[in-house]
Amino acid sequence: MRLASFSRVFPEQTIAVEDCVMAAGNQPLEAKAFRRIFGIDEVRKWQDDFNISDVLPKMLDDLQHGQSVLPDAFIYVHACPLHATSAGPTLASLQETHPFLADVDQIYEMDQNCCASLFWALDAANNMLNRGTANCVVIIGGESFSDLPTKERYMPACTILGDAFVGLVVDGQTNGTQISDIVLQSTPAFHSGLYGSDKDVHAFNHSQVKLTTKMLDEMDFDPQSGEPILPHNINSFIWAQYCVNSGTARDDVWLNLLADYGHCCTTDAFLNIDRFQSDETTDSAVLIGVGQGGFVGGCRMRKPVTGGTYATC
């Protein structure tokens, strides 16, 4: 499955870790410890009156650039079922008015796999392409927590939530960057998700490294290969543990966005696609996302090689 086009969008405004932690009723000392241990300094935040209609048209404009084939299916993905900004009216309007969606006759919305949902959307798109029920699929995923109290961004001893959206156009062409090795896993023991007891949530957080390792093993990831991991940005602590346990070099986990973006839910791994596309020393990378409820998704991206340099879509 080819990645034919990619777009990402995020707010310039940020909110500091201290503001999130103290809004949840905690002391500045806890915020300082969180910043030091988990590696998040601030997160991106849309304005309080954010509306998804402010983002989707621009993303579709970006995705349409240079595209000769119009999509015939649209998948909208978000990680938080109860917190997501309502997109239904906007999607219906865009289907009628945006030229890039002129041929779309299938619209789907996915959220049931939490922060791994975008990988489930990739798998769904791949199945549609293979079965011939779609020829080109546009996927837009993301979140805004700006209409919620600031305290809702803080997940104690785990992460802080930021706002971001990504867009992908995929089709069945064999040229360009290819998406393969899509792996989806679920662990029923963590089925309670966000609504579990403190003990349940602690157990899930404690299992992050184990879940990550299991996913990468199934993708035949070689820790010694130098192949980069485009990670879920939950926190730096779990990736430090993973690297120690697996022998993976710390620089091979691309955590460059973590400090200033935080955990942007299902978009995390995909926010680094532009870095992957422009990095001429890298011809493949693995992407991974771990979601509440024990959902884990991953895939591999490979670039074509032309005359010693890596072509972009």
Side-chain angles (χ1 to χ4, degrees):
M1 179 170 66
R2 181 178 71 155
L3 174 64
S5 187
F6 171 73
S7 174
R8 69 175 192 170
V9 61
F10 47 84
E12 293 298 325
Q13 180 181 348
T14 62
I15 183 169
V17 160
E18 288 80 2
D19 294 334
C20 299
V21 173
M22 290 189 289
N26 300 289
Q27 298 300 312
L29 186 62
E30 181 170 341
K32 182 178 179 180
F34 184 96
R35 182 193 289 260
R36 177 175 57 83
I37 295 171
F38 294 129
I40 301 175
D41 298 327
E42 59 187 13
V43 297
R44 302 289 169 143
K45 177 187 181 298
W46 294 109
Q47 65 275 16
D48 292 344
D49 60 351
F50 170 83
N51 190 302
I52 196 169
S53 63
D54 299 332
V55 167
L56 291 188
K58 180 185 182 303
M59 294 191 73
L60 292 172
D61 291 343
D62 293 343
L63 293 171
Q64 184 178 11
H65 182 71
Q67 285 292 106
S68 58
V69 177
L70 296 180
D72 48 9
F74 187 154
I75 305 176
Y76 170 61
V77 185
H78 50 92
C80 299
L82 299 181
H83 294 171
T85 302
S86 176
T90 300
L91 294 178
S93 175
L94 287 172
Q95 186 183 14
E96 297 292 331
T97 61
H98 199 286
F100 193 48
L101 303 183
D103 290 349
V104 166
D105 58 7
Q106 306 173 71
I107 295 183
Y108 304 96
E109 187 170 352
M110 299 180 67
D111 58 43
Q112 64 268 35
N113 305 109
C114 299
C115 292
S117 289
L118 222 160
F119 292 98
W120 261 261
L122 283 177
D123 187 61
N126 192 45
N127 287 335
M128 286 191 282
L129 294 171
N130 288 337
R131 293 172 182 172
T133 56
N135 294 310
C136 182
V137 183
V138 58
I139 303 170
I140 289 183
E143 231 81 35
S144 171
F145 297 97
S146 295
D147 59 344
L148 296 176
T150 300
K151 66 180 182 180
E152 299 291 346
R153 293 182 180 271
Y154 179 50
M155 301 179 69
C158 183
T159 196
I160 295 182
L161 304 176
D163 302 342
F165 285 83
V166 298
L168 304 90
V169 176
V170 294
D171 60 30
Q173 299 299 312
T174 56
N175 61 314
T177 297
Q178 296 292 311
I179 300 172
S180 63
D181 304 329
I182 300 172
V183 177
L184 309 175
Q185 296 177 350
S186 58
T187 307
F190 302 121
H191 67 90
S192 54
L194 286 170
Y195 307 103
S197 65
D198 290 345
K199 181 179 179 180
D200 293 333
V201 173
H202 176 76
F204 172 72
N205 292 340
H206 188 70
S207 298
Q208 292 279 340
V209 175
K210 181 178 180 180
L211 294 172
T212 297
T213 302
K214 181 181 177 183
M215 167 60 67
L216 292 172
D217 286 348
E218 187 167 339
M219 294 175 65
D220 294 325
F221 173 73
D222 179 1
Q224 310 302 320
S225 68
E227 183 179 29
I229 300 172
L230 279 56
H232 52 284
N233 287 329
I234 294 175
N235 61 59
S236 60
F237 181 71
I238 66 146
W239 282 110
Q241 289 182 299
Y242 170 79
C243 289
V244 169
N245 293 348
S246 66
T248 301
R250 289 287 295 271
D251 288 346
D252 290 342
V253 184
W254 286 4
L255 292 174
N256 52 296
L257 300 178
L258 176 66
D260 300 327
Y261 288 73
H263 176 42
C264 298
C265 297
T266 197
T267 67
D268 277 353
F270 300 87
L271 290 171
N272 256 323
I273 287 178
D274 58 344
R275 175 184 172 185
F276 167 68
Q277 293 282 47
S278 63
D279 187 342
E280 295 186 355
T281 66
T282 303
D283 59 1
S284 73
V286 293
L287 291 75
I288 184 171
V290 177
Q292 287 281 350
F295 299 107
V296 190
C299 70
R300 179 172 272 108
M301 288 191 179
R302 290 188 175 91
K303 291 185 291 192
V305 180
T306 306
T309 59
Y310 300 110
T312 57
C313 293

